[in-house]
């Protein structure tokens, strides 16, 4: 849907002029399962987004309409509560976050549309939250720092969607910048824009279209193992707060003798945080080959050591490993399904998607979805004719 159509669709339902906002989905180049360990991640916003058309109402009501679900929700600013419509909750959670911060919000009409595939690990949920947060701030002329918008969005995901996520997704959706990835320190929230020059190559996502139910329990289990590792090290090094502060030597001395399994899990995280730093260096030097190599290493670690991959993800990575046209590939996201992210030579993309889709279908009887993604800018207002104003961040 073009912005002009979005505006038209809004006017047909609400019979008034809207303001238009967009907020993108995201990929993560490298740095998996490092966020909850106070570590580093390297997300980038993509050219798929959630679009919101919004206008103020005279009353205190909240009128929402979802294009994807063809559903309406009606609520009230004075009584914001969870709904049984999952899509509405992401929006309501953000409204609640504004009110809890004493940021006064008027009643509003909101139409939502998006082209971020749902549940594919591209964080369509963060895109909705951030689009809503940005739209509410603009509509009510509230000056809220960009990081606070991301934090309000994250809180909405915790409290209204029940997903205890880190800050990466919302951060990337708000702060993204075309042609850049961002190295984010999940502890201090300090971040650095890293040029993502892919000359002759593109990022290709291959979606397994599976989500194994193991995902939630394994996630909790891994978090517990990381915390256990930290506790054992902390007994000897009191300043240690997260695995971020721990070295491989400390793990060998204090964790491995106690429990080899816990050691293996913690060791993956410690190595992964180092890989993010190496990846930033590789990108700054324009060394895509080195970046690709690190991505393969990450996959190996997630699959063999951290054990959060699955046969479908492993199959997709194995299919492209060793091909000259693919510099790197790995599973992306928490695991047990979702997409792999691949760096593929331009001319080879079409053929690769065809070959791998066929092999995947033969192996699992499942169809593969493929997305060629480009980086994009973060939350911004748009005009029906195009983009007029992007968010101005103080640090660039
Ligand atoms: P992910 O964030 O990986 O895409 P989630 O399960 O966290 O997956 O979020 C997906 C949910 O977000 C959907 O089930 C839906 O409720 C909501 N959602 C995402 N995009 C849209 C959209 N364009 N319109 C309405 N709801 C959406
Ligand atoms: Mg999500």
């Amino acid at each position: 849907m073009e912005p002009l159509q979005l505006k038209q669709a809004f006017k047909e339902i609400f019979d008034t002029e809207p303001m238009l906002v967009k907020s993108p989905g995201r990929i993560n180049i490298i740095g998996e399962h490092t966020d909850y360990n106070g570590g580093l991640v390297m997300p980038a916003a993509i050219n798929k987004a959630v679009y919101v058309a919004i206008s103020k109402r005279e009353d205190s009501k909240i009128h929402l309409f979802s294009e994807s679900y063809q559903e309406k929700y009606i609520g009230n600013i004075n009584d914001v509560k969870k709904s049984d419509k999952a899509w509405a909750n992401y929006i309501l959670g953000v409204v609640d976050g504004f009110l809890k911060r004493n940021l006064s919000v008027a009643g509003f009409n909101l139409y939502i549309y998006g082209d971020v595939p749902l549940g594919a690990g591209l964080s369509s949920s963060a895109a909705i939250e951030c689009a809503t947060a940005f739209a509410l701030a603009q509509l009510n002329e509230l000056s809220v720092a960009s990081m606070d918008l991301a934090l309000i969005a994250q809180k909405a995901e915790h409290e209204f969607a029940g997903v205890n996520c880190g800050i990466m997704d919302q951060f990337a959706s708000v702060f993204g910048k075309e042609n850049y990835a961002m190295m984010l320190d999940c502890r201090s929230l300090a971040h650095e824009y890293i040029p993502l020059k892919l000359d002759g190559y593109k990022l290709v996502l291959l979606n397994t279209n599976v989500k194994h139910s193991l995902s939630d329990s394994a996630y909790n289990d891994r978090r517990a193992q990381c915390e256990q590792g930290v506790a054992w090290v902390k007994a000897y090094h009191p300043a240690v707060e997260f695995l971020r502060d721990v070295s491989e030597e400390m793990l060998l001395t204090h964790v491995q003798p106690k429990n080899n399994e816990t050691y293996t899990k913690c060791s993956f995280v410690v190595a992964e945080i180092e890989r993010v730093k190496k990846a930033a260096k590789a990108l700054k030097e324009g060394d895509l080959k080195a970046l690709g190599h690190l991505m393969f290493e990450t996959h190996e670690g997630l699959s063999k050591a951290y054990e959060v991959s699955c046969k479908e993800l492993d199959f997709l990575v194995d299919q492209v490993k060793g091909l000259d046209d693919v510099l790197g590939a790995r599973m992306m996201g928490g695991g047990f399904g979702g997409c792999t992210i691949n760096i593929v030579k331009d001319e080879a993309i079409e053929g690769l998607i065809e070959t791998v889709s066929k092999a995947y279908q033969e192996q699992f009887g499942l169809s593969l979805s493929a997305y060629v993604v480009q980086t994009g800018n973060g939350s911004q207002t748009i005009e029906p004719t195009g983009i007029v104003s992007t968010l101005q961040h103080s640090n660039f």
Side-chain angles (χ1 to χ4, degrees), residues 29-31 40-42 181-184 192-197 272-288 290-291 294:
I29 306 290
I30 199 160
L40 304 169
V41 292
M42 201 192 280
M182 295 158 286
M183 183 160 68
L184 169 69
E192 185 187 345
Y193 287 90
I194 314 277
L196 190 58
K197 285 199 217 75
E272 181 70 358
I273 295 170
E274 282 310 305
R275 270 191 291 272
V276 179
K277 293 181 199 161
K278 288 182 197 160
K281 184 165 174 281
L283 276 173
K284 284 177 192 167
E285 289 167 357
D287 190 348
L288 277 185
L291 173 69
L294 291 163

Side-chain angles (χ1 to χ4, degrees), residues 320-342:
V320 303
K321 214 170 187 171
L323 299 180
D324 285 345
D325 293 330
V326 181
L327 295 185
R330 67 176 194 85
M331 55 159 278
M332 191 178 77
F336 303 103
C339 296
T340 62
I341 175 169
N342 305 263

Side-chain angles (χ1 to χ4, degrees), residues 81-299:
K81 52 177 186 256
K82 265 200 218 173
S83 145
D84 52 10
K85 289 188 170 69
W87 64 268
N89 278 332
Y90 297 97
I91 298 165
L92 297 169
V94 170
V95 178
D96 189 59
F98 271 74
L99 298 176
K100 289 217 169 106
R101 285 182 178 229
N102 289 323
L103 295 164
S104 157
V105 173
F108 63 94
N109 303 310
L110 184 152
Y111 186 102
I112 178 168
Y113 159 78
D115 61 6
V116 186
L118 309 187
L122 302 184
S123 220
S124 65
S125 60
I128 298 192
E129 292 148 4
C130 295
T132 306
F134 189 71
L136 286 177
Q138 294 282 315
L139 189 72
N140 295 283
E141 293 172 37
L142 300 166
S143 82
V144 186
S146 304
M147 191 57 90
D148 286 321
L149 292 179
L151 289 166
I152 290 173
Q154 180 197 20
K155 201 154 183 266
E157 180 110 14
H158 289 180
E159 295 181 357
F160 275 63
V163 179
N164 211 4
C165 60
I167 187 67
M168 170 168 75
D169 300 351
Q170 290 79 9
F171 168 83
S173 190
V174 171
F175 285 85
K177 193 169 155 186
E178 196 175 350
N179 297 323
Y180 287 84
M182 295 158 286
M183 183 160 68
L184 169 69
D185 181 325
C186 296
R187 171 158 53 190
S188 69
L189 300 184
H191 51 277
E192 185 187 345
Y193 287 90
I194 314 277
L196 190 58
K197 285 199 217 75
L198 293 170
D199 315 322
Y201 288 81
K202 286 205 171 67
L203 296 170
V204 179
L205 305 178
L206 300 176
N207 190 351
T208 59
N209 287 315
V210 298
K211 178 134 189 79
H212 295 292
S213 56
L214 204 62
S215 164
D216 288 349
S217 62
Y219 180 77
N220 293 334
D221 185 60
R222 297 300 177 278
R223 282 194 79 139
Q225 281 169 312
C226 292
E227 280 165 26
Q228 178 62 77
V230 168
W232 281 334
V233 175
K234 198 179 170 72
Y236 296 87
H237 301 273
V240 163
E241 207 188 338
F242 289 108
L243 282 179
R244 169 74 179 280
D245 311 314
V246 171
S247 65
E248 172 65 19
E249 293 68 38
M250 290 176 181
L251 292 176
L252 283 169
T253 312
H254 304 298
V255 180
Q256 197 189 32
K258 289 208 167 69
N259 186 312
N260 195 53
E261 170 84 13
T262 307
Y263 161 76
T264 306
K265 301 294 179 270
C266 293
S267 177
F268 163 78
V269 173
V270 168
E272 181 70 358
I273 295 170
E274 282 310 305
R275 270 191 291 272
V276 179
K277 293 181 199 161
K278 288 182 197 160
K281 184 165 174 281
L283 276 173
K284 284 177 192 167
E285 289 167 357
D287 190 348
L288 277 185
K289 263 197 173 146
L291 173 69
H293 189 74
L294 291 163
M295 287 165 68
F296 280 124
E297 271 182 32
T298 290
H299 186 77

